[in-house]
Amino acid sequence: MIGHLPLAVFLTLGMVVALGACVQSVVGFGLAVVAAPFVVVLEPHLMPAALLVTSLALPSWELLTGDRDIAWRPWCFAIGGRVLLMPVGVWLVTWAPTSLIAVIVGAMVLVAVAASISRIDVRPTPASSALAGVITGVSGTAASIGGPFFALVLQHERPSRIRSTLALFFVVGASSALTGLAVAGHVDATQLKVGLAWIPFVLLGTAIARPLRSRVDAARMRRLVLALATVAGVGVILLTVVS
């Protein structure tokens, strides 16, 4: 057992995390979008803290080894909006029943998919950046999902700038969310242990992604991931409603 979590469940969710990390390494997003629906169904008490801890690994590595080509102005507006609305996400975790959190996770997955396939021509203005941050302040704290919203704002930037800016956004945003959740008493030892124990699965997914980058069409894989995320998001909502 890992932090009172049955080994079989831990390994199953770890492989889902590895899949999400692989996808994120290839197409730029995916860890939380892929993993959150499965975590909230199998072990809802781990959400959102455990997945927030795990999700810090990839962006931290990107900042350490990447180009650090950061779009500072949009980032400042986005992180300001995220930190400002983070208490709302903490409030949801505090007062909402587990079933509502599950529905929120499923809904945020579907919204993230819609944002990812949107053809809306969004530019990184102060208003659009702040709005993406505001949405992520709630979704990133309560459901650990937030990357696609700010990624939509940055869609016209060069790839290195998108990766670096999102990485810093993830690290600061997830750290602030974990701090807020900890102050409210919603981060426990089990969540921390499991979140840290899933990091090797992130490394596994990243290692698998390296040869796939040159062999797999990123656009096709992105469509498959969005389809999987859609099924998972709808499935979470239906399972919650039925139960």
Side-chain angles (χ1 to χ4, degrees), residues 24 31-32 48-60 63 75 78-79 82-83 86 90 133 136-137 139-147 165-182 187 192:
Q24 184 161 320
L31 198 159
L51 201 52
L52 283 170
V53 170
T54 304
S55 67
L56 280 168
L58 274 181
S60 297
L63 289 177
W75 182 86
I79 201 64
R82 177 164 186 170
V83 172
M86 179 267 292
V90 174
T136 305
S139 67
T141 304
S144 72
I145 296 170
T165 306
L166 284 177
L168 186 60
F169 182 69
F170 288 149
V171 169
V172 176
S175 298
S176 66
L178 281 170
T179 300
L181 290 167
V187 179
L192 291 176

Side-chain angles (χ1 to χ4, degrees), residues 37 40-42 99 102-103 231-243:
V40 80
V41 167
L42 293 178
S99 58
V103 171
V231 172
V234 172
V236 167
I237 295 172
L238 290 178
L239 283 173
T240 304
V241 171
V242 170
S243 62

Side-chain angles (χ1 to χ4, degrees), residues 32-108:
V33 172
V34 171
F38 294 91
V39 176
V40 80
V41 167
L42 293 178
E43 293 293 337
H45 66 280
L46 294 177
M47 288 290 291
L51 201 52
L52 283 170
V53 170
T54 304
S55 67
L56 280 168
L58 274 181
S60 297
W61 180 252
E62 175 67 31
L63 289 177
L64 289 172
T65 62
D67 298 325
R68 300 182 192 176
D69 180 15
I70 297 166
W72 284 108
R73 192 162 183 262
W75 182 86
C76 288
F77 281 99
I79 201 64
R82 177 164 186 170
V83 172
L84 184 65
L85 266 290
M86 179 267 292
V88 177
V90 174
W91 178 83
L92 278 173
V93 174
T94 301
W95 296 106
T98 302
S99 58
L100 180 56
I101 293 296
V103 171
I104 290 172
V105 169
M108 284 300 101

Side-chain angles (χ1 to χ4, degrees), residues 8 17 19 24 41 43 54 78 101 110 174 177 182 199 204 209 211 217 226 232:
V17 167
L19 173 62
Q24 184 161 320
V41 167
E43 293 293 337
T54 304
I101 293 296
L110 297 180
I199 290 178
L204 172 63
D217 179 67
L226 292 175

